Amino acid sequence: MAESDNTFKKAPKRKPMKGKSVAVSPEMRQAYADLIKEREAKQETYARHLPQDETRRR
C-alpha cells in the first residue's frame, strides 16, 4: 500500500493536437451544406410528431 498515493493523482495535461485543414471544391462545400440543411429539416419534422409533455406518459 506504499504506492497508493500515485493512484488518484491527476494525469498530466496533453498538448492539443493541431487540426488538419482540407481543401474542398465549392461544389462539395455546397453539397455538404445542403446535406446539413436536409438533416435539420428531417430532425425538425421528426421532433414535431413526438409528444411534447413527458409527464403525460404515465
Side-chain angles (χ1 to χ4, degrees):
M1 278 280 187
E3 296 180 24
S4 64
D5 37 326
N6 286 342
T7 306
F8 298 108
K9 285 190 175 178
K10 270 189 170 178
K13 291 191 175 186
R14 295 182 180 184
K15 291 184 180 178
M17 292 182 68
K18 191 171 184 178
K20 295 181 181 178
S21 62
V22 180
V24 181
S25 68
E27 295 86 16
M28 287 294 291
R29 190 180 307 239
Q30 185 61 41
Y32 188 67
D34 293 342
L35 179 69
I36 291 173
K37 287 179 185 176
E38 187 178 317
R39 281 187 185 169
E40 286 177 352
K42 283 183 182 179
Q43 184 66 29
E44 184 180 322
T45 56
Y46 175 75
R48 191 179 306 147
H49 298 292
L50 293 176
Q52 297 297 320
D53 192 10
E54 284 291 323
T55 58
R56 294 194 312 189
R57 289 185 77 186
R58 253 197 161 207

